[in-house]
Amino acid sequence: MSVIAENLHWGVKRKTIVSGVSLTVAPGETLGLIGPNGSGKSSLLRLLAGLRTPVSGRVEINGQDIARVGRKALSRQIAFVQQSAATDTNVTVRDVVRLGRTPHRSALAGWSAADEAAVANALDLVDMVERRSQPWQTLSGGERQRVHIARALAQTPNVMFLDEPTNHLDIHHQIEILRIVRDLDLTSIVALHDLNLAAMFCDRIVVLEAGAVRACGTPDAVLTRDLCREVFRVAADVSGAPDTGRPHIRFRAE
Amino acid sequence: MTPLDDTEGGAFRLALILGLSLFLLAFAVAAATAIGDYNIGLGTVFLSITNELGLSGAEIAPIEQSVVWNLRLSRALVAALAGAGLAICGAILQALLRNALAEPFVLGVSAGASTGAVCVIVLGIGAGGLSLSLGAFAGAFAAFALVALLSNGATSGPNHTILAGVAASQLFNALTSYIVTTSGNAQQARDVMFWLLGSFGGVRWPDFQLLLLVVIVSLAICILMGRALDAFTFGDEDAASLGVPVARIRLVLFGVTALLTATIVSMVGAIGFVGLVVPHAARYVVGPLHLRLLPACAVIGAVFMVVADIVSRVIAAQQTVPIGVVTALVGVPFFAIILYRARPQS
C-alpha cells in the first residue's frame, strides 16, 4: 500500500519540528528515514502513522486521508514499532503478540481462528514459535524487538512504521532485525541511525535536516561524501558499489 | 500451559477459580453473620435470611432475626462490596499508571475524603451520619478534581499523574492535621483516627443498595474496557498504535475509579492494603489479562474483606479493631508468601 505525505507541518508551542515534508512511498517499498538527532525523524514517523495530528498537511495511506479514518480502523492497516518499549508486567511472548489482535477484536469477542492464524504466522516470521510461552522478562534485547515486530505483524498491517528498531542491539541482531523487515511483504518505513545499515537494507532513503527533507532517493544517490559532511558533520569516504547501488561509508577519525 | 492462554483450559481454570471464590464468599458471609459478641448458629442464620426473603416462616427469636438481618448481614455484604470495589480500582490504576505500587488512594481520594470527614466531625459542618458521608465524598472529589487539573485531565503520563496525586494527598493530609490540631479535642482526634482506619460499624441496607449499584456499574464499564487496558502493557503510545482511544479510556477509567473509591471511603473510611495487594494476588493466580483479572479481583477482594471484618470483631475481646489494621495484619503474611513464590528466578 502506498503512503503519501503532503506538506506536513508540526511543532510544540512555537518550536517547529517538522516543516513542509512531502514524500511518497510505493507499495512494498522499504523506506529509510535518516537524519541527525533532533532532525524530526521520530516526530515525522508518528505523523505518518497517525499517532500525532499535523498542524497542517495530510497523510494518505492507500488513497485514504488518515485523519478521516478512525483510530481502530487505522490500526488494522498500519502498525507502529517503538524503540525498545518495556513493561514490568509478567507476560509471555504469546501474550504480547496477541495484543496485536486488539484492533481486530471487539470488547468481549472470543478468540477466532483468524486471530490464531495471524499470531502463529507472526511468530513464525520472526522465528519465535518455539519460544512463545517464554516470559517476556527473560528475553534478550534482540528477542524483545523481534517479539515487538511479531506483535505489529499480528495486526496484519499493510504498512509498518519502525522507530529505530535496532537501537541497543549488537551488530548481528541489528542486521537480523533489518533483514526481517526488508523481507516482509509490506510497505515499511524505518527510522535509522546507522547510515551503512540504511544503505544495505533500504530501497530508498529520505534524509531529514531540521525537520525538512534534505535529500530523497536511492542509497547511492543520497549517501554522498558531501551529505555526510553537511548534514551529519562527519568526514567520510563513500565507496560506491555500482552493481548493487549500495554505497559503503567509511568514517574518518580526524 | 500458562494460565493466561486463551485456551479452553485457561477458561476452565478461571471458571473454577471464580466458582470456588464465590462459594468461599457465600461461606465467609454466612460466617460473618454468625460470628460476633453473641454467636448465632449457621442454621438460624440461614432461616433468618429465608424468613426475611419470604421463603420460609420458621420460628426464630426476634432479637436473633434482627441481629442477623439488620446488623450483620448488611455489614458483611457491604464489606464484600467494598473489598471487591477497592480491588478493582487497584487493578485498573496499576494498569493505567503502569506502576505496581498504584492503589485506590494514589490519586489523593482518601486524603480528600478525610479532610471532608474532619470538616464534619471537628468543624461540625452539617450534622449526623449522612452528612459525614457526604462530606467525605465531597472531599474525595475535590482531591480528584485537583489531580485532574494538575495532570491536565490525566493526559500527562503516568509519573506526572502520580506526582499530582502525591501533591493532592500531601495537601489534604496537611489540611486534615491542621484542622484536628487547631480545633479538635482528644476525643475528636480519636474519632477521626478511627474513621480514617475504616469501620463497617454503621452500615445498613441503604448503604448496601447504593454500593451494589456503583460496584456493578463500575465493574461492567471496566470489563468492557478490559481488552483496551491490556493494550497499555507497553505504554500509552503503544496502546494508541493498537487502535485504543487512549485519552477517552484514561478519562473514563480514572473517573470510574474515583467515583467507586469515593463512595467506599465515604461509607466505611479509607481501608488500606486491599486495593494494593489483591490485584497482585489475583494476577498471580489468573494472569495479567484484564478480562480475567477484574472478575478475579472482585471475588478475591470480597472474600478478603469479609474475612478481615470477622477477624476485626473477634481478635480483641469486647472491642472492634479498625478494619484497616486487620487488612494489613492479615494481608502482609499472605502477600509475603506470594512475593516469595513470584520472586524473579535468576
Side-chain angles (χ1 to χ4, degrees):
Chain A
M1 267 199 206
S2 65
V3 178
I4 299 169
E6 279 172 22
N7 202 21
L8 290 177
H9 285 268
W10 188 75
V12 177
K13 303 225 169 97
R14 288 201 193 128
K15 188 169 159 42
T16 301
I17 293 170
V18 173
S19 73
V21 171
S22 299
L23 53 83
T24 305
V25 193
E29 197 173 25
T30 301
L31 181 81
L33 210 54
I34 62 172
N37 288 341
S39 60
K41 295 188 295 293
S42 292
S43 302
L44 176 58
L45 214 53
R46 281 162 176 77
L47 290 175
L48 294 173
L51 291 171
R52 284 177 195 161
T53 310
V55 175
S56 66
R58 58 195 232 133
V59 177
E60 271 184 21
I61 290 181
N62 200 31
Q64 274 181 305
D65 185 345
I66 63 167
R68 294 169 189 278
V69 182
R71 183 65 253 175
K72 195 166 174 176
L74 192 60
S75 298
R76 290 187 212 118
Q77 296 182 44
I78 67 176
F80 189 89
V81 178
Q82 290 186 60
Q83 45 173 311
S84 51
T87 184
D88 292 329
T89 312
N90 189 17
V91 283
T92 63
V93 167
R94 208 179 117 80
D95 290 333
V96 175
V97 178
R98 283 166 48 99
L99 287 179
R101 297 307 293 166
T102 306
H104 295 271
R105 303 173 81 191
S106 65
L108 299 172
W111 186 244
S112 71
D115 293 328
E116 185 57 41
V119 167
N121 185 46
L123 283 167
D124 186 44
L125 282 169
V126 301
D127 197 20
M128 289 294 279
V129 176
E130 259 93 67
R131 314 179 67 171
R132 59 185 182 276
S133 301
Q134 194 171 329
W136 168 264
Q137 311 296 347
T138 64
L139 299 176
S140 71
E143 290 162 350
R144 288 180 185 192
Q145 204 55 281
R146 264 154 65 196
V147 175
H148 276 311
I149 291 173
R151 197 205 54 197
L153 289 172
Q155 288 173 251
T156 55
N158 300 304
V159 183
M160 188 143 96
F161 298 91
L162 301 99
D163 190 7
E164 296 179 28
T166 58
N167 246 11
H168 312 302
L169 300 185
D170 64 40
I171 187 66
H172 169 79
H173 288 102
Q174 293 187 15
I175 289 175
E176 179 187 72
I177 292 287
L178 289 175
R179 198 180 282 141
I180 290 172
V181 171
R182 179 194 61 190
D183 293 343
L184 290 173
D185 195 17
L186 40 79
T187 311
S188 36
I189 299 171
V190 193
L192 283 171
H193 261 308
D194 191 305
L195 304 186
N196 280 310
L197 287 176
M200 281 162 69
F201 288 101
C202 298
D203 299 320
R204 276 194 311 135
I205 288 175
V206 166
V207 184
L208 282 185
E209 187 182 25
V213 176
R214 165 68 186 251
C216 175
T218 56
D220 60 343
V222 168
L223 292 171
T224 61
R225 195 179 159 147
D226 289 345
L227 183 112
C228 288
R229 192 181 65 242
E230 289 163 20
V231 176
F232 292 95
R233 291 179 294 160
V234 289
D237 295 322
V238 180
S239 51
D243 49 330
T244 63
R246 302 201 180 273
H248 177 74
I249 298 147
R250 209 174 119 253
F251 302 107
R252 288 202 307 246
E254 39 70 85
Chain B
M1 187 198 76
T2 64
L4 356 167
D5 262 354
D6 232 355
T7 55
E8 280 174 39
F12 176 74
R13 186 171 163 159
L14 178 73
L16 190 75
I17 290 164
L18 286 183
L20 201 69
S21 306
L22 284 174
F23 177 76
L24 259 177
L25 180 61
F27 182 76
V29 168
T33 312
I35 297 168
D37 290 337
Y38 173 73
N39 286 327
I40 299 172
L42 274 179
T44 313
V45 166
F46 184 76
L47 286 175
S48 304
I49 294 170
T50 51
N51 274 1
E52 287 286 346
L53 294 175
L55 300 173
S56 64
E59 288 286 325
I60 288 170
I63 179 74
E64 292 194 343
Q65 175 94 21
S66 174
V67 166
V68 166
W69 185 258
N70 291 327
L71 294 179
R72 292 191 190 162
L73 185 63
S74 53
R75 176 186 178 126
L77 290 177
V78 166
L81 286 174
L86 289 173
I88 293 167
C89 290
I92 299 284
L93 290 171
Q94 284 167 12
L96 280 183
L97 298 172
R98 303 184 69 217
N99 192 315
L101 296 176
E103 43 99 32
F105 308 135
V106 75
L107 298 183
V109 169
S110 66
S114 68
T115 306
V118 162
C119 286
V120 174
I121 295 175
V122 178
L123 300 183
I125 300 169
L130 185 65
S131 58
L132 175 63
S133 291
L134 275 181
F137 194 85
F141 251 86
F144 179 70
L146 179 66
V147 172
L149 187 74
L150 290 178
S151 63
N152 202 8
T155 58
S156 325
N159 287 342
H160 197 99
T161 308
I162 290 172
L163 282 176
V166 169
S169 294
Q170 296 288 338
L171 174 68
F172 282 96
N173 282 336
L175 279 175
T176 301
S177 303
Y178 179 80
I179 295 170
V180 170
T181 49
T182 54
S183 40
N185 59 36
Q187 180 54 40
Q188 281 175 330
R190 199 177 141 86
D191 285 351
V192 169
M193 167 92 175
F194 200 82
W195 187 86
L196 283 179
L197 287 167
S199 163
F200 290 112
V203 299
R204 295 292 180 270
W205 285 112
D207 299 312
F208 169 76
Q209 287 153 4
L210 174 64
L211 193 53
L212 181 69
L213 181 72
V214 175
V215 167
I216 286 179
V217 170
S218 304
L219 183 60
I221 293 173
C222 295
I223 283 180
L224 279 177
M225 295 188 163
R227 202 156 267 163
L229 269 177
D230 292 338
F232 281 83
T233 304
F234 290 96
D236 287 9
E237 189 171 62
D238 220 55
S241 78
L242 288 170
V244 171
V246 172
R248 198 176 76 211
I249 297 268
R250 288 180 80 91
L251 197 67
V252 169
L253 288 180
F254 278 131
V256 165
T257 54
L259 174 69
L260 184 50
T261 312
T263 308
I264 294 169
V265 171
S266 68
M267 264 178 213
V268 298
I271 302 168
F273 209 67
V274 180
L276 173 66
V277 167
V278 170
H280 287 294
R283 222 174 266 119
Y284 179 69
V285 181
V286 299
L289 298 181
H290 287 89
L291 285 188
R292 281 142 196 259
L293 182 63
L294 293 172
C297 279
V299 284
I300 296 174
V303 172
F304 183 80
M305 194 69 106
V306 173
V307 172
D309 181 43
I310 296 174
V311 173
S312 80
R313 285 184 285 131
V314 298
I315 195 170
Q318 301 303 319
Q319 58 177 325
T320 302
V321 175
I323 185 81
V325 173
V326 178
T327 52
L329 282 180
V330 175
V332 169
F334 174 64
F335 191 48
I337 295 170
I338 290 176
L339 270 184
Y340 181 76
R341 291 195 57 182
R343 71 195 180 281
Q345 314 284 334
S346 53

